[in-house]
Amino acid sequence: MAEVKREFLDGPYGQIHARIARNEGSDQPPVLLLHMFPQSSRIFAEALELIGSSRTAAAADFPGYGESDAPAEPITAEDYASAMWQAAEGLGLLTNGQKLDLFGLHGGSKVAVEMAAQRPDDVGHLVVASAALLDSGQVERIRNAFVHIPLDKAGSRFVKFWEMLTRNAAPETSLATLAQQYAEMVRSGESYGWGNLALLDYNEKFPARLEGLPHDVDLINPGDDLFKPTRSSSHLFSGHYVEREDWTLGFTQEKPDEFAELLVQLLERQSIAVAAE
């Protein structure tokens, strides 16, 4: 397995924290992994060790999440994408005209699509998971879930965080994984809901941005809370469609070996078993 190092880079709102497993001997393009909200690059820590055996693999915390500095006010999906391009450059992932592969999970999937739309010539392969065009009811449900909860001595915000995690988790998800995810939610502070709200605002733009890409976009559909809307949105994607209903929320931490293997297969266009194409 590759060694994962941690770095701090200059970003548009302060510093950006990133994890990277460098593989200088690989002829494969580097890959940048984009986390869901309100989590951090911590959800990819184990997978980076595995992916880094075949190529340079990195994951950065979005502004306001993990250990990255937060903007002074809410920002847009386009802003998150621009910040990740700055992180990619700071990590040296675009040297010598090298293209960058992208993977995004949940909200990170739409940021990945926006990154590719902003700089299509700099992107090689694009793989996303739990990427769905949401209907008005789903948008409203998520928006209500991230209505800002002020701090109080009763810990109302933190009780809700734990309830959200345990309600959406599969029975087999370990308490250790839930505890790590909870810690990342708490770490995001007052900006904890900004990412999800930005991506809800981006939802209507998403199909056009996706359609305008020159890349084939592969879609992984795990059995999490977006399984049905992701399946319903699969016709929007031009690449492989892979269903893994046995993977639930937190699969990148619970099954990092399976996730890393599938991602590398998709990026390298290896033969894979797919649900539909």
mmCIF file of all heavy atoms in Angstrom, residues 220-240:
data_model
loop_
_atom_site.group_PDB
_atom_site.id
_atom_site.type_symbol
_atom_site.label_atom_id
_atom_site.label_comp_id
_atom_site.label_asym_id
_atom_site.label_seq_id
_atom_site.Cartn_x
_atom_site.Cartn_y
_atom_site.Cartn_z
ATOM 1 N N ILE A 220 -21.523 5.161 -10.414
ATOM 2 C CA ILE A 220 -21.653 4.082 -9.440
ATOM 3 C C ILE A 220 -22.867 4.393 -8.572
ATOM 4 O O ILE A 220 -23.009 5.512 -8.074
ATOM 5 C CB ILE A 220 -20.395 3.965 -8.549
ATOM 6 C CG1 ILE A 220 -19.143 3.719 -9.402
ATOM 7 C CG2 ILE A 220 -20.564 2.847 -7.519
ATOM 8 C CD1 ILE A 220 -17.848 3.797 -8.612
ATOM 9 N N ASN A 221 -23.738 3.406 -8.388
ATOM 10 C CA ASN A 221 -24.945 3.608 -7.592
ATOM 11 C C ASN A 221 -24.944 2.655 -6.400
ATOM 12 O O ASN A 221 -25.406 1.512 -6.510
ATOM 13 C CB ASN A 221 -26.195 3.384 -8.454
ATOM 14 C CG ASN A 221 -27.467 3.781 -7.720
ATOM 15 O OD1 ASN A 221 -27.429 4.433 -6.680
ATOM 16 N ND2 ASN A 221 -28.608 3.399 -8.283
ATOM 17 N N PRO A 222 -24.435 3.097 -5.247
ATOM 18 C CA PRO A 222 -24.475 2.253 -4.052
ATOM 19 C C PRO A 222 -25.863 2.289 -3.408
ATOM 20 O O PRO A 222 -26.678 3.170 -3.703
ATOM 21 C CB PRO A 222 -23.426 2.900 -3.140
ATOM 22 C CG PRO A 222 -23.455 4.344 -3.532
ATOM 23 C CD PRO A 222 -23.767 4.379 -5.005
ATOM 24 N N GLY A 223 -26.104 1.351 -2.508
ATOM 25 C CA GLY A 223 -27.418 1.248 -1.887
ATOM 26 C C GLY A 223 -27.591 2.174 -0.709
ATOM 27 O O GLY A 223 -27.918 1.723 0.393
ATOM 28 N N ASP A 224 -27.412 3.470 -0.938
ATOM 29 C CA ASP A 224 -27.560 4.443 0.139
ATOM 30 C C ASP A 224 -28.866 5.210 -0.025
ATOM 31 O O ASP A 224 -29.776 4.777 -0.737
ATOM 32 C CB ASP A 224 -26.350 5.383 0.211
ATOM 33 C CG ASP A 224 -26.129 6.165 -1.085
ATOM 34 O OD1 ASP A 224 -27.086 6.301 -1.888
ATOM 35 O OD2 ASP A 224 -25.010 6.665 -1.303
ATOM 36 N N ASP A 225 -28.984 6.354 0.616
ATOM 37 C CA ASP A 225 -30.242 7.097 0.605
ATOM 38 C C ASP A 225 -30.557 7.720 -0.751
ATOM 39 O O ASP A 225 -31.680 8.186 -0.956
ATOM 40 C CB ASP A 225 -30.231 8.171 1.710
ATOM 41 C CG ASP A 225 -29.056 9.126 1.585
ATOM 42 O OD1 ASP A 225 -27.964 8.685 1.177
ATOM 43 O OD2 ASP A 225 -29.211 10.318 1.925
ATOM 44 N N LEU A 226 -29.609 7.732 -1.678
ATOM 45 C CA LEU A 226 -29.861 8.267 -3.017
ATOM 46 C C LEU A 226 -29.946 7.161 -4.074
ATOM 47 O O LEU A 226 -29.870 7.446 -5.266
ATOM 48 C CB LEU A 226 -28.763 9.273 -3.406
ATOM 49 C CG LEU A 226 -28.779 10.624 -2.682
ATOM 50 C CD1 LEU A 226 -27.673 11.525 -3.226
ATOM 51 C CD2 LEU A 226 -30.131 11.316 -2.825
ATOM 52 N N PHE A 227 -30.118 5.923 -3.646
ATOM 53 C CA PHE A 227 -30.120 4.810 -4.594
ATOM 54 C C PHE A 227 -31.208 4.973 -5.662
ATOM 55 O O PHE A 227 -30.928 4.896 -6.868
ATOM 56 C CB PHE A 227 -30.316 3.485 -3.851
ATOM 57 C CG PHE A 227 -30.364 2.294 -4.761
ATOM 58 C CD1 PHE A 227 -29.208 1.769 -5.318
ATOM 59 C CD2 PHE A 227 -31.585 1.696 -5.079
ATOM 60 C CE1 PHE A 227 -29.251 0.674 -6.175
ATOM 61 C CE2 PHE A 227 -31.638 0.598 -5.927
ATOM 62 C CZ PHE A 227 -30.467 0.080 -6.476
ATOM 63 N N LYS A 228 -32.447 5.216 -5.252
ATOM 64 C CA LYS A 228 -33.546 5.313 -6.219
ATOM 65 C C LYS A 228 -33.408 6.533 -7.134
ATOM 66 O O LYS A 228 -33.524 6.398 -8.360
ATOM 67 C CB LYS A 228 -34.888 5.299 -5.497
ATOM 68 C CG LYS A 228 -35.231 3.942 -4.900
ATOM 69 C CD LYS A 228 -36.604 3.956 -4.233
ATOM 70 C CE LYS A 228 -36.952 2.583 -3.682
ATOM 71 N NZ LYS A 228 -38.280 2.566 -3.005
ATOM 72 N N PRO A 229 -33.151 7.739 -6.598
ATOM 73 C CA PRO A 229 -32.990 8.873 -7.514
ATOM 74 C C PRO A 229 -31.755 8.757 -8.411
ATOM 75 O O PRO A 229 -31.773 9.237 -9.547
ATOM 76 C CB PRO A 229 -32.895 10.093 -6.582
ATOM 77 C CG PRO A 229 -32.655 9.557 -5.226
ATOM 78 C CD PRO A 229 -33.226 8.185 -5.194
ATOM 79 N N THR A 230 -30.698 8.088 -7.935
ATOM 80 C CA THR A 230 -29.534 7.888 -8.799
ATOM 81 C C THR A 230 -29.872 6.941 -9.933
ATOM 82 O O THR A 230 -29.498 7.176 -11.085
ATOM 83 C CB THR A 230 -28.345 7.344 -7.981
ATOM 84 O OG1 THR A 230 -27.973 8.301 -6.983
ATOM 85 C CG2 THR A 230 -27.135 7.078 -8.874
ATOM 86 N N ARG A 231 -30.598 5.869 -9.646
ATOM 87 C CA ARG A 231 -31.026 4.953 -10.713
ATOM 88 C C ARG A 231 -31.905 5.694 -11.723
ATOM 89 O O ARG A 231 -31.749 5.519 -12.940
ATOM 90 C CB ARG A 231 -31.782 3.762 -10.121
ATOM 91 C CG ARG A 231 -32.344 2.834 -11.183
ATOM 92 C CD ARG A 231 -33.205 1.748 -10.564
ATOM 93 N NE ARG A 231 -32.422 0.623 -10.096
ATOM 94 C CZ ARG A 231 -32.937 -0.439 -9.483
ATOM 95 N NH1 ARG A 231 -34.242 -0.486 -9.240
ATOM 96 N NH2 ARG A 231 -32.165 -1.447 -9.108
ATOM 97 N N SER A 232 -32.804 6.537 -11.235
ATOM 98 C CA SER A 232 -33.688 7.282 -12.124
ATOM 99 C C SER A 232 -32.928 8.292 -12.982
ATOM 100 O O SER A 232 -33.410 8.686 -14.054
ATOM 101 C CB SER A 232 -34.759 8.016 -11.309
ATOM 102 O OG SER A 232 -35.576 7.106 -10.609
ATOM 103 N N SER A 233 -31.756 8.706 -12.512
ATOM 104 C CA SER A 233 -30.950 9.693 -13.234
ATOM 105 C C SER A 233 -29.902 9.054 -14.132
ATOM 106 O O SER A 233 -29.173 9.767 -14.833
ATOM 107 C CB SER A 233 -30.239 10.622 -12.234
ATOM 108 O OG SER A 233 -31.164 11.268 -11.387
ATOM 109 N N SER A 234 -29.807 7.738 -14.139
ATOM 110 C CA SER A 234 -28.702 7.055 -14.823
ATOM 111 C C SER A 234 -28.672 7.326 -16.328
ATOM 112 O O SER A 234 -27.604 7.257 -16.944
ATOM 113 C CB SER A 234 -28.763 5.549 -14.554
ATOM 114 O OG SER A 234 -29.962 4.987 -15.052
ATOM 115 N N HIS A 235 -29.834 7.658 -16.918
ATOM 116 C CA HIS A 235 -29.862 7.919 -18.360
ATOM 117 C C HIS A 235 -29.104 9.188 -18.738
ATOM 118 O O HIS A 235 -28.788 9.396 -19.914
ATOM 119 C CB HIS A 235 -31.319 8.036 -18.841
ATOM 120 C CG HIS A 235 -32.033 9.237 -18.270
ATOM 121 N ND1 HIS A 235 -32.528 9.261 -16.982
ATOM 122 C CD2 HIS A 235 -32.319 10.443 -18.810
ATOM 123 C CE1 HIS A 235 -33.106 10.430 -16.755
ATOM 124 N NE2 HIS A 235 -32.994 11.162 -17.848
ATOM 125 N N LEU A 236 -28.799 10.027 -17.771
ATOM 126 C CA LEU A 236 -28.078 11.267 -18.038
ATOM 127 C C LEU A 236 -26.586 11.025 -18.254
ATOM 128 O O LEU A 236 -25.884 11.912 -18.751
ATOM 129 C CB LEU A 236 -28.257 12.247 -16.872
ATOM 130 C CG LEU A 236 -29.683 12.711 -16.558
ATOM 131 C CD1 LEU A 236 -29.695 13.514 -15.256
ATOM 132 C CD2 LEU A 236 -30.240 13.539 -17.707
ATOM 133 N N PHE A 237 -26.097 9.844 -17.879
ATOM 134 C CA PHE A 237 -24.665 9.575 -17.877
ATOM 135 C C PHE A 237 -24.285 8.713 -19.078
ATOM 136 O O PHE A 237 -24.972 7.749 -19.413
ATOM 137 C CB PHE A 237 -24.264 8.890 -16.570
ATOM 138 C CG PHE A 237 -24.494 9.754 -15.359
ATOM 139 C CD1 PHE A 237 -25.754 9.828 -14.781
ATOM 140 C CD2 PHE A 237 -23.475 10.519 -14.827
ATOM 141 C CE1 PHE A 237 -25.980 10.636 -13.672
ATOM 142 C CE2 PHE A 237 -23.694 11.327 -13.731
ATOM 143 C CZ PHE A 237 -24.949 11.391 -13.157
ATOM 144 N N SER A 238 -23.173 9.053 -19.697
ATOM 145 C CA SER A 238 -22.796 8.430 -20.964
ATOM 146 C C SER A 238 -21.843 7.257 -20.806
ATOM 147 O O SER A 238 -21.572 6.553 -21.780
ATOM 148 C CB SER A 238 -22.135 9.487 -21.869
ATOM 149 O OG SER A 238 -21.038 10.097 -21.189
ATOM 150 N N GLY A 239 -21.313 7.027 -19.611
ATOM 151 C CA GLY A 239 -20.349 5.953 -19.415
ATOM 152 C C GLY A 239 -20.970 4.713 -18.801
ATOM 153 O O GLY A 239 -22.170 4.446 -18.964
ATOM 154 N N HIS A 240 -20.144 3.923 -18.115
ATOM 155 C CA HIS A 240 -20.631 2.728 -17.433
ATOM 156 C C HIS A 240 -21.595 3.115 -16.305
ATOM 157 O O HIS A 240 -21.412 4.133 -15.636
ATOM 158 C CB HIS A 240 -19.471 1.951 -16.808
ATOM 159 C CG HIS A 240 -18.589 1.266 -17.799
ATOM 160 N ND1 HIS A 240 -19.046 0.417 -18.763
ATOM 161 C CD2 HIS A 240 -17.237 1.298 -17.949
ATOM 162 C CE1 HIS A 240 -18.047 -0.048 -19.475
ATOM 163 N NE2 HIS A 240 -16.933 0.477 -19.002
#
